[in-house]
């Protein structure tokens, strides 16, 4: 599988876990995702480069978003107005 596709799929999974407040520690999250802790941090840094406000909350022992954000990757039809001729 293409590395770009795998990375996007991993970002989608991380986003879902953050929204569910179910990431756990970096070690447990990396294990759940089937990646190394180093790779997890690389992907989180990619997310941050795209303005994801991801931080690790020591009290909750979970990654969280500092602010509410939306994430969606893909191509979707855009409704356009049709002019009557």
């Amino acid at each position: 599988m293409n590395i770009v596709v795998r990375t996007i799929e991993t970002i989608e999974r991380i986003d879902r876990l953050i929204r569910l407040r179910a990431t756990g520690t970096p070690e447990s999250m990396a294990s759940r995702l089937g990646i190394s802790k180093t790779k997890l941090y690389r992907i989180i840094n990619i997310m941050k480069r795209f303005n994801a406000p991801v931080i690790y909350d020591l009290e909750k022992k979970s990654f969280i978003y500092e602010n509410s954000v939306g994430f969606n990757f893909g191509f979707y039809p855009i409704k356009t107005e049709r002019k009557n001729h």
Side-chain angles (χ1 to χ4, degrees):
M1 185 185 294
N2 187 319
I3 191 162
V4 173
V5 172
R6 268 187 296 178
T7 301
I8 291 168
E9 288 173 347
T10 303
I11 289 171
E12 289 173 334
R13 290 179 67 198
I14 292 170
D15 175 66
R16 188 172 28 241
L17 289 171
I18 292 172
R19 289 179 193 289
L20 293 172
R21 297 179 181 259
T23 69
T25 65
E27 293 82 5
S28 64
M29 184 176 181
S31 176
R32 179 184 285 172
L33 295 170
I35 60 176
S36 69
K37 193 169 94 170
T38 301
K39 185 164 186 165
L40 171 66
Y41 279 111
R42 280 189 202 131
I43 293 173
I44 288 175
N45 283 333
I46 290 169
M47 293 171 69
K48 287 180 177 184
R49 286 178 31 206
F50 283 95
N51 299 317
V54 179
I55 61 166
Y56 185 74
D57 187 312
L58 289 172
E59 287 182 19
K60 296 176 183 171
K61 295 185 179 175
S62 185
F63 288 95
I64 63 169
Y65 287 130
E66 285 185 288
N67 310 311
S68 293
V69 292
F71 173 76
N72 200 1
F73 186 87
F75 294 93
Y76 305 94
I78 297 174
K79 293 182 182 179
T80 57
E81 293 182 33
R82 297 185 102 186
K83 294 182 180 180
N84 294 333
H85 291 287

